[in-house]
Structure formats: C-alpha cells, structure tokens
Amino acid sequence: MGGILGLYRHRALIVSFVKRDLLARYKGSAVGLFWSVIHPLIMLALYTFVFSTILKVRVGISEGTEQFAIYLFCGLLPWNAFAEGLNRSTSVILENSNLIKRAIFPSEILPVYPVIAGIVNELIGFAILLAVLLLVGHPIAPVMLLLPAILLLQFVMTTGLAWIIAGATVFIRDLGQMLGVMLTLGVFLTPIFYPPSVVPRQMRALLAVNPMYALVEAYRSLILKGQLPAWQSVAFLAGVGAVVFLVGYRVFTRMQPAFADVL
C-alpha cells in the first residue's frame, strides 16, 4: 500500500516530470512533439511494406487480422512501452543525483515518470493503430473499452521492475548493458514477430510463465479479435504485476538510504 499511496500523494510532481520529459525529448527539433506521431506512422508503414509487400507474411484469421503488419504493430505497442520504461530507469537515478541528495525529495517517483512517458507514447501509437483499423474496415468491438484495465496492469508490473532496476543500477553500473541483452532476448521469446501457434508444442509451457506474452495476447484479444482475453492469463498477469510492484517498492526503499553515499 505504501507504494500506491506514495504515488498518489506525489501525483502532481509525477505529472510535472512526465510533461518535462516529453517536452525535453523533442526540444529544438523542427516538429517537436509531432515526432511522437511521425515515428509510429513510419514504423507502421515500414512493417506494412516489409512484411506484407516484400515477405508477404500472413497470419490466420484466428489471430484477429490477416494483415501481419497490424498484428505486429499491436504486439509491439505494449512491448516498446515496457522496454522504454525499463531502459530509461537504468539512468534516471544517476541523471537526477542532485535531487537524490535532498533529504525531502521522494526519489521513488523518479523511476515512475519514464514508465508513464513510455505509456503516453504508446497511447499515441494506439490512436494511429485505431485509425488504421477503421481505414481497413476492421470492426471495433465494445470490449476494447476494457483496455485501460490491461494498461493499468502493464503500468503496475513495469513500475515494479523499474524500481528494482533503477535502484540496482546505482550500485551495478553495468546493469544497463545487461538489461539491453535481456530485452533483446525477451522480444524474440515473446510471440510478437510470430503467432504463438508456430511455437513447438514442447516449448509452449514457457509461454505460460511469460507475463509479457499474457500482456501482448490481452492487447490482441481486445483490439484485433474483439473478445475478452483468457481470464487465466489476465489473472496471472495481475498476480505477477502485484507481486513485482510490492517487491520492487520494498527493494527500492531499502536501497534508497545508500544512494547519496554512492552518488
């Protein structure tokens, strides 16, 4: 409960950090925040050209769409937000060391704002995906209104991991490089670039213990298939997210007093 109450108590400060982060990211560029729209548009066009035109990759109608580019983009949206939040958490404490040394500053909010900034960019990508679905005549099902609940589970799990990574990086500076390798492995071990049906039967047990698989499939069920995701996978995602959030907050607050000495 301490982590939830802390985030709620400092919500205005978190929002301020998120706004500053999004504005600073594109400061000085010619089109500013429009890069948040341009980038996913370019990526979607690239996926469509490479996978649909050149490679002519298709997925079955059971996956919710026969257009592989849309299938891939839908899976990449949550994964990219997840990876961005974790990658940026590796340096957020070091970059704000001047704030850490202030006794009254709530340092636990620092790993949170990159997670939220990543989700904001994901929502921009989702708006583009929604527009494309409407353009190609894909039905928009009412169950899509449940997407914020899945997004909340994503935020909870990512924040918990971000707390652990941000705190540990203060003492293990190589953790950022290690994380990059693990995320690269993760994106290929999670059915994002391929449907889960192609995974060998003897390896499908690994999918059952992969929370990112549950997350990606929840997105695809709601958005592409227009149906509720399997309750077992949602329950698993919620359980993992809650445990990681609570453990992450506890680990971070335990390490927090030593930050000033190391920095």
Side-chain angles (χ1 to χ4, degrees):
M1 287 296 292
I4 297 174
L5 293 176
L7 296 183
Y8 180 77
R9 188 183 309 117
H10 302 294
R11 61 190 183 280
L13 186 58
I14 294 173
V15 170
S16 176
F17 268 92
V18 172
K19 288 181 179 178
R20 188 189 69 173
D21 179 76
L22 293 173
L23 291 173
R25 188 176 305 188
Y26 305 107
K27 185 178 181 180
S29 65
V31 293
L33 286 174
F34 280 105
W35 276 115
S36 296
V37 177
I38 295 172
H39 182 261
L41 274 175
I42 293 175
M43 295 308 296
L44 181 57
L46 180 63
Y47 296 148
T48 301
F49 177 69
V50 172
F51 291 100
S52 300
T53 305
I54 297 180
L55 299 179
K56 300 186 183 301
V57 179
R58 295 289 185 271
V59 288
I61 193 63
S62 62
E63 302 299 339
T65 176
E66 293 183 343
Q67 297 178 318
F68 186 79
I70 292 177
Y71 178 82
L72 174 60
F73 193 63
C74 186
L76 279 175
L77 284 177
W79 177 269
N80 285 344
F82 172 77
E84 179 182 345
L86 297 191
N87 273 321
R88 298 193 57 214
S89 70
T90 60
S91 60
V92 70
I93 301 296
L94 305 177
E95 292 172 355
N96 294 277
S97 58
N98 59 318
L99 298 176
I100 296 296
K101 296 174 182 179
R102 299 179 184 179
I104 61 172
F105 183 79
S107 58
E108 66 272 14
I109 73 168
L110 290 177
V112 177
Y113 81 80
V115 174
I116 297 177
I119 290 176
V120 171
N121 284 325
E122 177 189 351
L123 291 176
I124 295 172
F126 171 72
I128 293 172
L129 175 62
L130 187 61
V132 171
L133 291 176
L134 291 172
L135 187 64
V136 299
H138 191 285
I140 305 299
V143 293
M144 199 182 296
L145 295 174
L146 297 176
L147 196 59
I150 302 300
L151 197 62
L152 177 61
L153 297 181
Q154 174 186 332
F155 166 76
V156 168
M157 181 176 66
T158 311
T159 298
L161 290 173
W163 271 327
I164 296 172
I165 293 168
T169 306
V170 176
F171 307 98
I172 309 172
R173 302 298 172 90
D174 292 337
L175 189 57
Q177 286 72 24
M178 295 167 57
L179 179 65
V181 173
M182 289 187 287
L183 288 174
T184 300
L185 289 173
V187 74
F188 287 105
L189 291 176
T190 303
I192 294 177
F193 292 91
Y194 52 89
S197 57
V198 305
V199 177
R201 189 174 301 276
Q202 61 271 23
M203 297 181 64
R204 289 183 185 177
L206 295 176
L207 297 180
V209 295
N210 182 352
M212 287 307 296
Y213 168 66
L215 179 65
V216 168
E217 283 302 296
Y219 270 81
R220 285 172 172 160
S221 292
L222 294 174
I223 298 172
L224 300 182
K225 299 179 184 178
Q227 62 189 35
L228 294 173
W231 70 265
Q232 297 95 329
S233 64
V234 174
F236 172 67
L237 179 61
V240 170
V243 171
V244 171
F245 184 88
L246 294 174
V247 171
Y249 181 74
R250 179 64 62 89
V251 168
F252 186 87
T253 53
R254 289 288 182 88
M255 292 187 287
Q256 189 175 6
F259 288 167
D261 297 331
V262 177
L263 296 173

